Amino acid sequence: MRSVFILIHIILGFVSFLMSADPIDRESLVARNNPRVTEIDTLSSLTVGNGEFAFTVDVTGLQSFPEYYRNGIPLGTQSQWGWHSFPNTGNYSHDETLGEYDFGHGHTELYSTQLKEPERGKEACEWFRVNPHRLHLGAIGFVGIAPHMVSEVNQMLDMWSGTLYSNCRIGAEMVSVKTCCHPDRDMMSAEIISGMRLPVSFRFPYPTGAHADDACDWTADSLHVTEIVSLRSHGALLRHSLDDTYYYINVSWSGEVSASMSGRNEFVLTPECDSWSFTAEFSRDMIVGSDMAAADVRAASSRYWDYFWRSGGVVDFSRCTDPRARELERRVVLSQYLLAVQCAGSTPPQETGLTYNSWFGKFHLEMIWWHQAHFALYGHANLLARTLPWYGSALPVARDIARRQGFEGVRWMKMTDPSGIEAPSKVGSFLIWQQPHIIYLAELLHRADPHGGVTDRYAELVEETARFMASFASYDPDNRRYALKGIIPAQETLKAAETVNPPFELSYWHFGLSTANKWRERRGLPRNEKWDDITSSLSHLAHADSLYLAAETAPQTYHDIRFTSDHMAVLGALGILPMSPLLEPGIMNSTFDWIYSNWNWNKTWGWDYPTTAMCATRLGEPEKAVNALLMDKRTNTYLPNGHNYQDARLRCYLPGNGGLLTAVALMTAGWDGCTVENPGFPKDGKWDVRWEGIKPLP
């Protein structure tokens, strides 16, 4: 009987705990932040996707006006696998992009840079920068309408189900469209109701190969072709071929619909009923027997997003009385959706995600931390785990880069594509702060699931990365220390030949090598004595007048706009990273205050505001942390769809969104050893921030 009473007491206590815990109403949290569009706005395009594939639409719920939106948030159909190269008519080899440098490491180093001479080397560099480039897989939209015909727009993205509801009047008739993306297949769906019976076209462009655009050349029909491979009663298999690249589109539909080609690269569905639907699945390989009804795609999407929002971390600002809290909540929720849609695939994300091309569609490895660290912190480690295996596939290329430069281990490239080949760059090839990212991200995965085999899975990547980091550090016998030189630091306004010991890179070397030795201990291996020697003897952060310098070789830091523009990377040494023996809190406080008050904020990027907020949080300055996240600057603009706007070239910039989420994780859950509740929010009674399911940072 006693045990029964004890059991009843435990149950009642547990029930009482659940009631007192006052869980967040997650569905309401997401719903009140659903983006809504009531007029044509080319910066308010909305996207459905699954991290591997995304489909961005205009107010019609489809891609009816791709040319009209091309200078806004373009109407992209992109995937992680869809790439193309123009014919290499010059037979250029990657070796022709290499230039020889001597940065004092005791040997010459070969870098893939943007050569100015010889002429053939210059041409080879340009070819490898442009190729391969990411493809726009095809624009799917209504035929025969123009933007001026559209009125009474009522569009809403239901993020809880991943369903986009679009209603508008076109001419005299109402049109209703439900748009979704399958969570596990590169498939979009549309359910359409309209008495107009508007045809829907599938238009396939040739790529432009431009640095930043929608990747659609609609004037080059003769260079590519779309064919109907097979035609069924309610479906068709298409093949789009361009140069040596081809891929397939499996289209299926319900209702009375006729299908036909309209020109060389346009396929058209013409409905003969008011209510009908279709799906389109894109694939590198021929798809056989994969038809799925649009309603089934919507059901699968709803199940996935319901699980996503219920299983991960969330932050609720509804009880805050500070007038800025509402906007901060909107940015957080929309960023969670956008990054799951755009940045959770089998390769690292492009800075503009799967929306449109920037840097020819290539991805940048120094940005992967900004895109994806938050996944592990918000309970979605599985999404980060989708991407990190790519590093294993790129290991041979990274090993070759280190070898040709005279170093051990692997040197991770900066700007690349799924093949891992290094794109020539006069800046990117000299960066090093992407090196420890794989160690940091793998560590976050281990912390999220200490018994999930993460250590064994990523041991080689961590070990080989640390080997390069150790061999890259130069020993200075006169001062009995290790230094970092021959680099362009994260603050990209400095020159490789002049730069020694930038502060963030020093701190990251300390963190990376220390963490790599922890991994050896977890695997039952002895610590690497050389790594310990380097971390204990790394140069301390250089300072002058109680302010940390942009580099030891930049004493003019606070008197030259070159050093007070771009990224304030010094703040990453305490914020992105935990406290280390290389820095002094008092000097970092002074440095932060100077930067906060005097930086050239109009020369910054979207992730610089989260960097500042994270440093402020670790320094015990929560008011300044909030101010940094919500600073009224162009590059800290968040559009109605949640995209972080930078400028006319980068209308969306997902590292800003990811940085925001990581900063908020630090501001709520804190870091190892932090004892302050919500350390990044002021204790003035206005910030009653509630959160669930978020993990602390290292």
Side-chain angles (χ1 to χ4, degrees):
M1 182 65 70
R2 178 180 173 83
S3 61
V4 173
F5 281 116
I6 293 175
L7 180 60
I8 293 173
H9 181 75
I10 292 173
I11 292 173
L12 290 174
F14 183 67
V15 172
S16 175
F17 168 77
L18 290 177
M19 293 177 64
S20 63
D22 191 16
I24 294 169
D25 183 347
R26 294 177 173 228
E27 196 163 358
S28 295
L29 166 66
V30 174
R32 64 177 174 260
N33 291 288
N34 285 333
R36 299 173 185 272
V37 177
T38 57
E39 61 183 359
I40 292 183
D41 176 1
T42 60
L43 290 174
S44 293
S45 315
L46 297 170
T47 303
V48 293
N50 56 29
E52 188 74 16
F53 168 84
F55 184 74
T56 301
V57 306
D58 56 34
V59 293
T60 67
L62 296 174
Q63 299 164 328
S64 303
F65 311 125
E67 292 91 342
Y68 188 77
Y69 276 71
R70 72 185 315 164
N71 293 319
I73 303 296
L75 310 181
T77 304
Q78 292 196 334
S79 71
Q80 302 291 8
W81 53 261
W83 294 78
H84 166 266
S85 290
F86 296 126
N88 185 359
T89 55
N91 293 316
Y92 301 116
S93 69
H94 194 266
D95 286 348
E96 294 178 275
T97 72
L98 301 180
E100 190 175 279
Y101 294 81
D102 186 349
F103 291 128
H105 289 115
H107 51 262
T108 56
E109 304 163 35
L110 293 174
Y111 287 82
S112 181
T113 185
Q114 290 169 268
L115 299 173
K116 295 182 179 179
E117 57 183 22
E119 186 63 27
R120 181 173 172 83
K122 180 180 178 181
E123 292 170 357
C125 291
E126 182 60 24
W127 193 89
F128 279 100
R129 275 182 66 78
V130 173
N131 298 287
H133 39 262
R134 197 182 300 258
L135 282 170
H136 188 304
L137 298 175
I140 305 173
F142 290 120
V143 177
I145 63 172
H148 72 269
M149 300 170 62
V150 178
S151 62
E152 298 181 34
V153 174
N154 181 15
Q155 188 176 48
M156 187 269 286
L157 174 60
D158 176 13
M159 294 185 289
W160 191 268
S161 68
T163 303
L164 177 61
Y165 296 89
S166 304
N167 298 280
C168 63
R169 185 178 297 278
I170 299 178
E173 293 281 348
M174 292 301 298
V175 176
S176 174
V177 181
K178 297 175 187 174
T179 315
C180 283
C181 176
H182 195 281
D184 302 314
R185 296 164 64 171
D186 298 343
M187 174 186 286
M188 60 75 60
S189 69
E191 299 167 81
I192 302 168
I193 300 175
S194 171
M196 294 182 74
R197 301 184 179 182
L198 289 169
V200 169
S201 73
F202 294 67
R203 299 170 61 200
F204 299 98
Y206 192 72
T208 63
H211 182 275
D213 71 349
D214 63 355
C216 293
D217 183 350
W218 299 109
T219 68
D221 246 14
S222 63
L223 299 180
H224 61 123
V225 64
T226 305
E227 305 163 282
I228 298 178
V229 177
S230 62
L231 187 62
R232 311 180 299 278
S233 60
H234 284 83
L237 180 63
L238 311 178
R239 172 176 160 138
H240 184 211
S241 303
L242 48 169
D243 303 312
D244 293 332
T245 300
Y246 60 87
Y247 58 93
Y248 295 88
I249 310 93
N250 188 61
V251 185
S252 62
W253 56 85
S254 65
E256 295 299 316
V257 176
S258 61
S260 63
M261 293 297 299
S262 176
R264 186 176 169 89
N265 287 291
E266 183 174 9
F267 175 74
V268 178
L269 297 179
T270 303
E272 299 170 8
C273 52
D274 295 349
S275 178
W276 66 291
S277 64
F278 69 89
T279 65
E281 183 170 15
F282 295 79
S283 175
R284 281 177 293 190
D285 305 309
M286 187 176 295
I287 306 165
V288 179
S290 61
D291 289 355
M292 178 176 283
D296 293 334
V297 174
R298 181 159 49 88
S301 172
S302 182
R303 288 191 297 271
Y304 171 80
W305 286 103
D306 179 271
Y307 174 79
F308 175 88
W309 292 113
R310 292 189 191 280
S311 64
V314 292
V315 189
D316 182 353
F317 293 87
S318 62
R319 294 184 180 177
C320 300
T321 57
D322 189 295
R324 298 171 296 174
R326 179 71 186 85
E327 170 61 12
L328 186 53
E329 181 184 273
R330 184 187 77 88
R331 295 184 182 191
V332 168
V333 175
L334 285 171
S335 294
Q336 287 181 273
Y337 174 83
L338 284 173
L339 289 158
V341 162
Q342 306 262 5
C343 300
S346 56
T347 65
Q350 180 183 193
E351 294 192 22
T352 44
L354 297 171
T355 305
Y356 75 101
N357 281 1
S358 53
W359 289 276
F360 313 101
K362 291 179 166 67
F363 44 85
H364 296 163
L365 287 196
E366 90 280 18
M367 287 292 103
I368 187 173
W369 190 92
W370 296 98
H371 285 288
Q372 294 190 309
H374 66 92
F375 284 137
L377 300 171
Y378 281 74
H380 299 298
N382 61 307
L383 299 185
L384 174 58
R386 287 182 184 175
T387 307
L388 292 194
W390 175 85
Y391 278 88
S393 70
L395 197 66
V397 182
R399 183 172 286 114
D400 182 63
I401 294 172
R403 186 183 299 115
R404 78 174 187 233
Q405 294 173 356
F407 302 112
E408 299 176 9
V410 296
R411 180 168 188 168
W412 299 109
M413 58 295 297
K414 188 270 196 196
M415 177 173 158
T416 187
D417 59 80
S419 73
I421 194 168
E422 184 178 28
S425 173
K426 62 185 177 183
V427 174
S429 296
F430 301 96
L431 298 180
I432 62 168
W433 66 290
Q434 70 270 28
Q435 300 306 314
H437 280 346
I438 180 61
I439 298 177
Y440 197 132
L441 294 173
E443 177 68 7
L444 291 182
L445 283 185
H446 170 79
R447 291 160 64 97
D449 185 9
H451 306 292
V454 172
T455 304
D456 291 336
R457 194 171 304 125
Y458 296 104
E460 182 182 14
L461 294 175
V462 171
E463 186 84 7
E464 290 297 292
T465 299
R467 286 184 64 222
F468 168 81
M469 293 170 64
S471 69
F472 187 83
S474 299
Y475 187 66
D476 173 6
D478 293 337
N479 296 292
R480 292 186 292 182
R481 63 173 188 168
Y482 284 91
L484 299 178
K485 61 185 179 181
I487 51 176
I488 293 179
Q491 186 176 348
E492 294 183 4
T493 55
L494 283 68
K495 298 177 181 178
E498 301 173 357
T499 301
V500 177
N501 287 335
F504 176 58
E505 282 75 4
L506 281 173
S507 300
Y508 213 175
W509 244 239
H510 188 280
F511 176 86
L513 289 174
S514 299
T515 304
N517 254 337
K518 289 180 184 178
W519 275 58
R520 288 183 64 84
E521 291 180 320
R522 288 175 192 154
R523 295 164 57 212
L525 299 174
R527 294 178 68 87
N528 186 304
E529 293 181 2
K530 181 180 180 181
W531 302 352
D532 278 336
D533 180 46
I534 292 172
T535 55
S536 65
S537 304
L538 265 176
S539 304
H540 285 218
L541 276 56
H543 59 87
D545 301 323
S546 296
L547 297 174
Y548 282 124
L549 301 175
E552 184 177 303
T553 45
Q556 69 276 47
T557 291
Y558 298 97
H559 308 286
D560 185 337
I561 193 172
R562 170 184 162 198
F563 299 105
T564 57
S565 300
D566 206 87
H567 308 300
M568 60 293 294
V570 61
L571 299 187
L574 182 63
I576 297 170
L577 301 173
M579 176 64 72
S580 83
L582 305 184
L583 60 86
E584 299 176 33
I587 299 178
M588 184 57 81
N589 264 298
S590 300
T591 305
F592 174 87
D593 288 342
W594 193 97
I595 289 173
Y596 183 82
S597 301
N598 300 288
W599 198 259
N600 294 301
W601 289 100
N602 290 324
K603 299 289 186 179
T604 54
W605 296 66
W607 56 269
D608 291 322
Y609 306 95
T611 298
T612 306
M614 286 188 278
C615 186
T617 299
R618 296 219 197 221
L619 289 172
E621 297 277 4
E623 181 65 40
K624 291 179 179 177
V626 173
N627 290 346
L629 280 190
L630 294 166
M631 197 176 292
D632 185 16
K633 299 294 180 182
R634 185 194 73 248
T635 53
N636 200 34
T637 299
Y638 282 73
L639 300 172
N641 51 23
H643 276 299
N644 179 207
Y645 179 91
Q646 301 296 284
D647 54 27
R649 180 186 62 163
L650 291 173
R651 284 89 69 191
C652 65
Y653 186 67
L654 290 157
N657 297 90
L660 168 75
L661 292 182
T662 302
V664 170
L666 186 76
M667 294 165 71
T668 53
W671 57 92
D672 295 345
C674 175
T675 59
V676 179
E677 183 180 358
N678 286 337
F681 292 97
K683 306 300 183 282
D684 57 4
K686 297 180 181 179
W687 289 95
D688 182 7
V689 180
R690 299 192 302 146
W691 55 273
E692 297 171 352
I694 301 177
K695 298 182 182 299
L697 273 73

